[in-house]
């Protein structure tokens, strides 16, 4: 499977965006610079991600419609699915997310 990588400078620092042919598989907040900057090899998915994040940081986007295929444990994936249900502009604390997952002791995980 080919992975495509691109970078986006944001007000929060540099983001590394990784995708396969169909979906975003990983994003990493790199701070000022990536630890191991990969060669930029973008595709239509990374380009769409950059566009939507740029619109978000400009204050023009509140929802994303990118295809996602994150890599992680079953628990991580359940947390990420839960986070996609949090409405724009609201805050959910770790404990609240853990309760939504019916795992009230998982807030530190």
């Amino acid at each position: 499977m080919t992975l495509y990588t691109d970078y986006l400078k944001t007000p929060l620092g540099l983001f590394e965006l990784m995708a396969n042919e169909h979906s975003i598989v990983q994003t990493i907040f790199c701070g000022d610079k990536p630890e191991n900057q990969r060669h930029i090899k973008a595709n239509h998915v990374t380009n769409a991600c950059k566009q939507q994040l740029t619109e978000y940081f400009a204050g023009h986007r509140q929802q994303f419609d990118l295809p996602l295929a994150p890599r992680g444990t079953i628990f991580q994936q359940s947390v990420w699915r839960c986070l996609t249900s949090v409405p724009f502009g609201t805050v959910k604390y770790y404990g609240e997310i853990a309760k939504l997952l019916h795992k009230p002791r998982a807030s530190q995980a």
Side-chain angles (χ1 to χ4, degrees):
M1 171 186 358
T2 302
L3 285 180
Y4 300 89
T5 304
D6 206 348
Y7 295 87
L8 177 66
K9 290 182 183 178
T10 75
L12 301 175
L14 192 63
F15 276 9
E16 181 182 76
L17 315 168
M18 293 182 73
N20 60 27
E21 290 83 9
H22 311 286
S23 305
I24 294 293
V25 296
Q26 179 173 307
T27 60
I28 300 172
F29 173 67
C30 301
D32 293 330
K33 63 180 182 175
E35 290 181 22
N36 299 312
Q37 187 164 359
R38 294 165 176 74
H39 175 71
I40 294 174
K41 182 179 179 184
N43 72 351
H44 68 282
V45 179
T46 57
N47 290 338
C49 187
K50 284 177 70 170
Q51 178 65 36
Q52 290 189 27
L53 284 170
T54 299
E55 292 167 0
Y56 171 80
F57 285 113
H60 302 298
R61 178 177 284 276
Q62 294 183 359
Q63 293 185 337
F64 294 86
D65 61 358
L66 297 164
L68 303 177
R71 296 181 275 177
T73 65
I74 292 170
F75 175 73
Q76 288 172 322
Q77 293 206 16
S78 67
V79 171
W80 298 331
R81 274 191 304 277
C82 185
L83 291 175
T84 63
S85 69
V86 177
F88 178 82
T90 61
V91 175
K92 293 281 186 196
Y93 297 99
Y94 293 136
E96 294 173 298
I97 297 296
K99 286 179 187 174
L100 288 171
L101 295 171
H102 306 291
K103 296 180 185 250
R105 295 180 177 223
S107 62
Q108 292 183 345

